[in-house]
mmCIF file of all heavy atoms in Angstrom:
data_model
loop_
_atom_site.group_PDB
_atom_site.id
_atom_site.type_symbol
_atom_site.label_atom_id
_atom_site.label_comp_id
_atom_site.label_asym_id
_atom_site.label_seq_id
_atom_site.Cartn_x
_atom_site.Cartn_y
_atom_site.Cartn_z
ATOM 1 N N ILE A 272 65.321 109.945 87.232
ATOM 2 C CA ILE A 272 65.424 108.515 87.533
ATOM 3 C C ILE A 272 64.225 107.921 88.163
ATOM 4 O O ILE A 272 63.750 106.887 87.766
ATOM 5 C CB ILE A 272 66.681 108.329 88.473
ATOM 6 C CG1 ILE A 272 67.977 108.537 87.696
ATOM 7 C CG2 ILE A 272 66.673 106.909 89.034
ATOM 8 C CD1 ILE A 272 69.212 108.654 88.549
ATOM 9 N N ILE A 273 63.616 108.627 89.130
ATOM 10 C CA ILE A 273 62.435 108.101 89.798
ATOM 11 C C ILE A 273 61.263 108.029 88.823
ATOM 12 O O ILE A 273 60.555 107.069 88.747
ATOM 13 C CB ILE A 273 62.026 109.025 90.967
ATOM 14 C CG1 ILE A 273 63.158 108.854 92.098
ATOM 15 C CG2 ILE A 273 60.689 108.649 91.545
ATOM 16 C CD1 ILE A 273 63.034 109.835 93.222
ATOM 17 N N ALA A 274 61.132 109.067 87.996
ATOM 18 C CA ALA A 274 60.058 109.031 87.015
ATOM 19 C C ALA A 274 60.203 107.919 85.998
ATOM 20 O O ALA A 274 59.200 107.201 85.699
ATOM 21 C CB ALA A 274 60.009 110.391 86.232
ATOM 22 N N GLU A 275 61.443 107.701 85.495
ATOM 23 C CA GLU A 275 61.711 106.610 84.576
ATOM 24 C C GLU A 275 61.481 105.311 85.263
ATOM 25 O O GLU A 275 60.921 104.376 84.622
ATOM 26 C CB GLU A 275 63.117 106.709 84.106
ATOM 27 C CG GLU A 275 63.422 107.849 83.142
ATOM 28 C CD GLU A 275 62.700 107.707 81.802
ATOM 29 O OE1 GLU A 275 62.542 106.549 81.313
ATOM 30 O OE2 GLU A 275 62.344 108.703 81.262
ATOM 31 N N SER A 276 61.835 105.188 86.511
ATOM 32 C CA SER A 276 61.671 103.895 87.222
ATOM 33 C C SER A 276 60.196 103.586 87.462
ATOM 34 O O SER A 276 59.837 102.399 87.246
ATOM 35 C CB SER A 276 62.317 104.035 88.619
ATOM 36 O OG SER A 276 62.143 102.848 89.364
ATOM 37 N N GLU A 277 59.442 104.544 87.831
ATOM 38 C CA GLU A 277 57.956 104.325 88.047
ATOM 39 C C GLU A 277 57.325 103.868 86.700
ATOM 40 O O GLU A 277 56.481 102.930 86.678
ATOM 41 C CB GLU A 277 57.318 105.567 88.555
ATOM 42 C CG GLU A 277 57.697 105.884 90.020
ATOM 43 C CD GLU A 277 57.146 107.176 90.435
ATOM 44 O OE1 GLU A 277 56.623 107.887 89.643
ATOM 45 O OE2 GLU A 277 57.245 107.466 91.643
ATOM 46 N N SER A 278 57.707 104.509 85.627
ATOM 47 C CA SER A 278 57.132 104.096 84.317
ATOM 48 C C SER A 278 57.594 102.740 83.952
ATOM 49 O O SER A 278 56.744 101.863 83.443
ATOM 50 C CB SER A 278 57.599 105.139 83.269
ATOM 51 O OG SER A 278 57.240 104.714 81.991
ATOM 52 N N TYR A 279 58.839 102.402 84.202
ATOM 53 C CA TYR A 279 59.355 101.102 83.884
ATOM 54 C C TYR A 279 58.671 99.998 84.663
ATOM 55 O O TYR A 279 58.311 98.927 84.142
ATOM 56 C CB TYR A 279 60.887 101.037 84.174
ATOM 57 C CG TYR A 279 61.566 99.779 83.937
ATOM 58 C CD1 TYR A 279 62.133 99.475 82.691
ATOM 59 C CD2 TYR A 279 61.758 98.889 84.996
ATOM 60 C CE1 TYR A 279 62.803 98.324 82.522
ATOM 61 C CE2 TYR A 279 62.407 97.655 84.799
ATOM 62 C CZ TYR A 279 62.952 97.423 83.574
ATOM 63 O OH TYR A 279 63.647 96.220 83.361
ATOM 64 N N GLN A 280 58.473 100.254 85.992
ATOM 65 C CA GLN A 280 57.853 99.240 86.822
ATOM 66 C C GLN A 280 56.432 99.001 86.412
ATOM 67 O O GLN A 280 56.010 97.829 86.452
ATOM 68 C CB GLN A 280 57.913 99.724 88.343
ATOM 69 C CG GLN A 280 59.297 99.624 88.990
ATOM 70 C CD GLN A 280 59.631 98.155 89.271
ATOM 71 O OE1 GLN A 280 58.994 97.216 88.781
ATOM 72 N NE2 GLN A 280 60.641 97.923 90.042
ATOM 73 N N LYS A 281 55.709 99.997 86.023
ATOM 74 C CA LYS A 281 54.328 99.825 85.560
ATOM 75 C C LYS A 281 54.277 98.948 84.328
ATOM 76 O O LYS A 281 53.393 98.001 84.231
ATOM 77 C CB LYS A 281 53.670 101.149 85.192
ATOM 78 C CG LYS A 281 53.337 101.998 86.435
ATOM 79 C CD LYS A 281 52.737 103.371 86.022
ATOM 80 C CE LYS A 281 52.471 104.181 87.267
ATOM 81 N NZ LYS A 281 51.975 105.556 86.899
ATOM 82 N N ILE A 282 55.214 99.092 83.420
ATOM 83 C CA ILE A 282 55.282 98.289 82.215
ATOM 84 C C ILE A 282 55.604 96.814 82.606
ATOM 85 O O ILE A 282 54.961 95.847 82.137
ATOM 86 C CB ILE A 282 56.339 98.803 81.235
ATOM 87 C CG1 ILE A 282 55.901 100.203 80.691
ATOM 88 C CG2 ILE A 282 56.547 97.849 80.053
ATOM 89 C CD1 ILE A 282 56.942 100.911 79.875
ATOM 90 N N ARG A 283 56.664 96.685 83.447
ATOM 91 C CA ARG A 283 57.076 95.310 83.838
ATOM 92 C C ARG A 283 55.978 94.633 84.642
ATOM 93 O O ARG A 283 55.787 93.441 84.402
ATOM 94 C CB ARG A 283 58.355 95.373 84.752
ATOM 95 C CG ARG A 283 59.582 95.844 83.965
ATOM 96 C CD ARG A 283 59.916 94.893 82.842
ATOM 97 N NE ARG A 283 60.167 93.599 83.325
ATOM 98 C CZ ARG A 283 61.313 93.152 83.815
ATOM 99 N NH1 ARG A 283 62.369 93.965 83.888
ATOM 100 N NH2 ARG A 283 61.493 91.952 84.232
ATOM 101 N N GLN A 284 55.208 95.285 85.463
ATOM 102 C CA GLN A 284 54.187 94.638 86.259
ATOM 103 C C GLN A 284 53.048 94.188 85.295
ATOM 104 O O GLN A 284 52.416 93.159 85.516
ATOM 105 C CB GLN A 284 53.594 95.673 87.301
ATOM 106 C CG GLN A 284 54.639 95.813 88.449
ATOM 107 C CD GLN A 284 54.186 96.899 89.420
ATOM 108 O OE1 GLN A 284 53.131 97.504 89.249
ATOM 109 N NE2 GLN A 284 55.003 97.198 90.418
ATOM 110 N N ALA A 285 52.733 95.049 84.315
ATOM 111 C CA ALA A 285 51.700 94.667 83.333
ATOM 112 C C ALA A 285 52.132 93.451 82.597
ATOM 113 O O ALA A 285 51.306 92.529 82.351
ATOM 114 C CB ALA A 285 51.460 95.884 82.394
ATOM 115 N N GLU A 286 53.408 93.391 82.188
ATOM 116 C CA GLU A 286 53.909 92.240 81.415
ATOM 117 C C GLU A 286 53.934 90.977 82.251
ATOM 118 O O GLU A 286 53.659 89.902 81.786
ATOM 119 C CB GLU A 286 55.332 92.517 80.942
ATOM 120 C CG GLU A 286 55.383 93.592 79.874
ATOM 121 C CD GLU A 286 56.894 93.882 79.470
ATOM 122 O OE1 GLU A 286 57.746 93.395 80.196
ATOM 123 O OE2 GLU A 286 57.118 94.574 78.522
ATOM 124 N N ALA A 287 54.222 91.103 83.578
ATOM 125 C CA ALA A 287 54.328 89.962 84.450
ATOM 126 C C ALA A 287 53.109 89.676 85.276
ATOM 127 O O ALA A 287 53.159 88.889 86.215
ATOM 128 C CB ALA A 287 55.537 90.170 85.385
ATOM 129 N N GLY A 288 51.972 90.308 84.914
ATOM 130 C CA GLY A 288 50.747 90.042 85.627
ATOM 131 C C GLY A 288 50.824 90.589 87.076
ATOM 132 O O GLY A 288 50.374 89.891 88.050
ATOM 133 N N ASN A 289 51.400 91.814 87.215
ATOM 134 C CA ASN A 289 51.582 92.552 88.440
ATOM 135 C C ASN A 289 52.498 91.793 89.437
ATOM 136 O O ASN A 289 52.470 91.998 90.669
ATOM 137 C CB ASN A 289 50.188 92.717 89.152
ATOM 138 C CG ASN A 289 49.371 93.758 88.377
ATOM 139 O OD1 ASN A 289 49.930 94.674 87.821
ATOM 140 N ND2 ASN A 289 48.114 93.507 88.318
ATOM 141 N N VAL A 290 53.340 90.937 88.943
ATOM 142 C CA VAL A 290 54.351 90.288 89.782
ATOM 143 C C VAL A 290 55.625 91.131 89.652
ATOM 144 O O VAL A 290 56.238 91.101 88.623
ATOM 145 C CB VAL A 290 54.643 88.846 89.454
ATOM 146 C CG1 VAL A 290 55.741 88.226 90.275
ATOM 147 C CG2 VAL A 290 53.356 88.036 89.616
ATOM 148 N N THR A 291 56.063 91.790 90.649
ATOM 149 C CA THR A 291 57.195 92.640 90.593
ATOM 150 C C THR A 291 58.512 91.845 90.636
ATOM 151 O O THR A 291 58.732 91.062 91.528
ATOM 152 C CB THR A 291 57.252 93.674 91.729
ATOM 153 O OG1 THR A 291 56.077 94.398 91.745
ATOM 154 C CG2 THR A 291 58.402 94.658 91.628
ATOM 155 N N SER A 292 59.367 92.022 89.635
ATOM 156 C CA SER A 292 60.594 91.250 89.597
ATOM 157 C C SER A 292 61.639 92.008 90.417
ATOM 158 O O SER A 292 61.519 93.212 90.683
ATOM 159 C CB SER A 292 61.084 91.104 88.157
ATOM 160 O OG SER A 292 61.464 92.378 87.654
ATOM 161 N N SER A 293 62.674 91.282 90.848
ATOM 162 C CA SER A 293 63.788 91.898 91.660
ATOM 163 C C SER A 293 64.826 92.414 90.675
ATOM 164 O O SER A 293 65.806 91.786 90.472
ATOM 165 C CB SER A 293 64.364 90.783 92.539
ATOM 166 O OG SER A 293 64.898 89.752 91.806
ATOM 167 N N ASP A 294 64.590 93.590 90.164
ATOM 168 C CA ASP A 294 65.489 94.190 89.240
ATOM 169 C C ASP A 294 66.296 95.306 89.866
ATOM 170 O O ASP A 294 66.029 95.721 90.993
ATOM 171 C CB ASP A 294 64.824 94.607 87.934
ATOM 172 C CG ASP A 294 63.739 95.608 88.137
ATOM 173 O OD1 ASP A 294 64.068 96.709 88.620
ATOM 174 O OD2 ASP A 294 62.580 95.275 87.923
#
Side-chain angles (χ1 to χ4, degrees):
I272 287 168
I273 291 169
E275 289 292 327
S276 176
E277 289 174 350
S278 174
Y279 178 88
Q280 284 287 13
K281 287 177 183 177
I282 293 170
R283 292 299 301 277
Q284 287 173 4
E286 290 176 350
N289 291 324
V290 177
T291 304
S292 67
S293 59
D294 58 64

